[in-house]
Amino acid sequence: MLVMSSCLLFLLGPLVLSFMAAAQPAGCKIRITDKGLEMLKAETEKFVEEEISNISMPEMKGKEGRFQYTITDVKINDLDLTHAELQFVPDVGLLFDVQNSSISLSFHRRILYWFFYDTGNINASAEGVNINTVLNLIRDEEGRLKIKNITCDAKISKMKAEFSGTLGKVYDFMASFLTSGMRFVLNQQICPALNHSALVHVNSLLETIPVRTEVDSYIGIDYSLIEDPVVTSRSLDMHFRGMFFDLSDPNNTMENLAVEPVIKDYDRMVYLALSEFFFDSGMFSYYKAGVFETHIVNEKMSRDMEMLLRTTYFGVIMMLNPALADAPISLQIAVNSPPKTTIRTTGATVVMTAIVKVMLLPPGRAPFQLSSMTMETKFNAKVSMKGKRLAIHADLRRFKIFSNQSALESLALIPLQAPLKTMLQMSVVPLINNWTKKGVRIPLADGMDFIEEVVEYHNGFIVIGANLHFTKGLREMMEGNNQE
């Protein structure tokens, strides 16, 4: 029985671990709607036209009765994709469908009939061009969005040619078998060209979306997909881990116990949803990296604050050593636990608790602690988007200090409340905002930006609805990535 249990655990262990990993909530979600596809459609059409126009056709040789012919220099001059659609395929990915379109092309002929030799150009047109391409989207091993495979079917219903040259009229009857061969070859070339473009070029573009990358010199962010994209007839939903981590200790992360964000709307081109965990993991990582510590002394401290501290702790200094009355005085502020984000329909707030130590710094001697107090602060946090970067602006809403030593000393600290709050508003908060206004990049491909953003606050998460703007063409985006 024990052996059977061990074997069963061995067999099911990886499955259970896989299920646990997949069951973790998403800290970040992105939805691209059918309205977003409408904008992508124009860029997709342009890209497909360019790819088909760049098809390299082989030289064709043949014989029909007394006629021997060679076809070279095939060029696709124009491609009309007026009847093209870009749609979601539920549970699969994307469909690019072209119906009843046309291709204009030209090629050079060399024809030998008995002892007559003739050359000239042929202008041809392919009509009834139908291309059906389905892209299967998945999450790869690194957690990146990827095209797994492509199903492609291309058919050209008919093709006609117009001859020019000395014997152009005579050779009109040859058009049927020449165009039949050309149609066959063209049919065979379209899908391989599109397959290569999607699997190589488009996947290369998807690699520009950050998965696990540095935010600054202290922390990084993990945007790996936690499951395959969810595709419906109206949207493509991507669920990302959305977790920050300390670069010096990347495995020391917090557990995601937050409410999972929910996107219900389809009115905008794209939606970004972020849970409290997304922000808390950032605060946790900065806390672990030791960023939430500061030392205010000398020119960093206002003259009024210095005089107030000397007045408040004058008796302590005199009891310690009257000769130290003019020694520099400082404030050491260190957050003592990871800050906590709360998101409600009324907005977002961040609560932060820190230990503030008033220190005397006698020259040539060890620093002496005059007092230790706890500082409780609450900030309003306003979230905004610009391009591909998410930024936060903090505003001090509540401030409170109390002594860690006695209730009596807490009463003595009351005169410090207002000056310390002012000091935070004038010095510390601007430093925080100057830091956070740089923002963090969201998982969006190079060359695409959010515009016309609207931020909505819900209980436990925020949702940003926006439209998309291409700063580069699709081909330019791909070529730029290849050059890097």
Side-chain angles (χ1 to χ4, degrees), residues 317-428:
I317 297 173
M318 289 297 102
M319 291 177 62
L320 177 66
N321 187 345
L324 301 179
D326 295 327
I329 199 167
S330 73
L331 289 174
Q332 292 181 0
I333 304 175
V335 173
N336 62 345
S337 62
K340 181 69 179 71
T341 306
T342 301
I343 303 175
R344 295 291 180 264
T345 55
T346 53
T349 58
V350 178
V351 173
M352 185 181 297
T353 303
I355 300 298
V356 181
K357 295 179 179 180
V358 183
M359 305 294 295
L360 194 66
L361 307 177
R365 299 176 61 179
F368 182 80
Q369 179 178 306
L370 298 177
S371 177
S372 174
M373 65 190 89
T374 296
M375 177 178 69
E376 293 180 351
T377 57
K378 189 173 186 178
F379 297 87
N380 284 336
K382 184 178 180 181
V383 178
S384 62
M385 279 287 303
K386 185 175 182 181
K388 279 189 290 290
R389 304 198 73 83
L390 179 79
I392 300 174
H393 181 84
D395 182 36
L396 184 61
R397 176 182 173 185
R398 191 180 69 193
F399 175 86
K400 180 182 178 181
I401 56 171
F402 54 87
S403 173
N404 295 329
Q405 298 168 353
S406 68
L408 185 62
E409 187 179 18
S410 294
L411 292 174
L413 294 177
I414 292 177
L416 289 177
Q417 293 269 1
L420 281 175
K421 182 177 181 180
T422 301
M423 181 196 69
L424 284 177
Q425 290 174 322
M426 297 294 291
S427 58
V428 178

Side-chain angles (χ1 to χ4, degrees), residues 6 15 42 44 58 107 141 179 185 206 237-238 268 313 319 322 345 352 359 370 418 423 425 448 454:
S6 299
L15 181 63
T44 303
F107 43 91
E141 294 180 353
T179 54
V185 173
L206 292 175
D237 287 4
M238 294 169 285
R268 310 297 291 271
Y313 296 100
M319 291 177 62
T345 55
M352 185 181 297
M359 305 294 295
L370 298 177
M423 181 196 69
Q425 290 174 322
M448 297 175 64
V454 176

Side-chain angles (χ1 to χ4, degrees), residues 111-249:
I111 297 178
L112 178 64
Y113 179 67
W114 290 94
F115 300 107
F116 294 98
Y117 178 75
D118 185 52
T119 64
N121 292 321
I122 302 175
N123 293 319
S125 62
E127 299 176 353
V129 178
N130 299 321
I131 306 173
N132 185 281
T133 305
V134 177
L135 282 64
N136 183 10
L137 299 174
I138 63 165
R139 167 195 179 274
D140 71 7
E141 294 180 353
E142 295 181 358
R144 190 185 302 277
L145 182 65
K146 184 179 181 180
I147 298 174
K148 179 182 180 182
N149 56 52
I150 298 173
T151 303
C152 179
D153 182 41
K155 293 182 180 179
I156 298 175
S157 300
K158 60 182 177 179
M159 181 179 282
K160 60 182 180 180
E162 296 179 1
F163 288 78
S164 63
T166 308
L167 301 177
K169 295 293 184 182
V170 178
Y171 300 140
D172 278 345
F173 76 94
M174 294 181 61
S176 61
F177 66 86
L178 285 178
T179 54
S180 295
M182 183 61 64
R183 184 181 64 180
F184 175 79
V185 173
L186 192 55
N187 274 334
Q188 300 300 310
Q189 294 288 326
I190 291 176
C191 281
L194 296 181
N195 288 353
H196 178 269
S197 298
L199 293 175
V200 177
H201 298 313
V202 178
N203 274 337
S204 177
L205 175 63
L206 292 175
E207 289 179 359
T208 68
I209 300 175
V211 172
R212 193 173 175 90
T213 185
E214 293 183 5
V215 174
D216 52 32
S217 58
Y218 299 100
I219 67 171
I221 189 164
D222 186 342
Y223 277 132
S224 57
L225 288 167
I226 61 174
E227 60 185 2
D228 285 337
V230 179
V231 188
T232 69
S233 61
R234 299 182 65 186
S235 67
L236 167 67
D237 287 4
M238 294 169 285
H239 301 167
F240 301 93
R241 181 163 283 111
M243 178 188 71
F244 293 88
F245 56 90
D246 178 5
L247 291 177
S248 64
D249 190 9

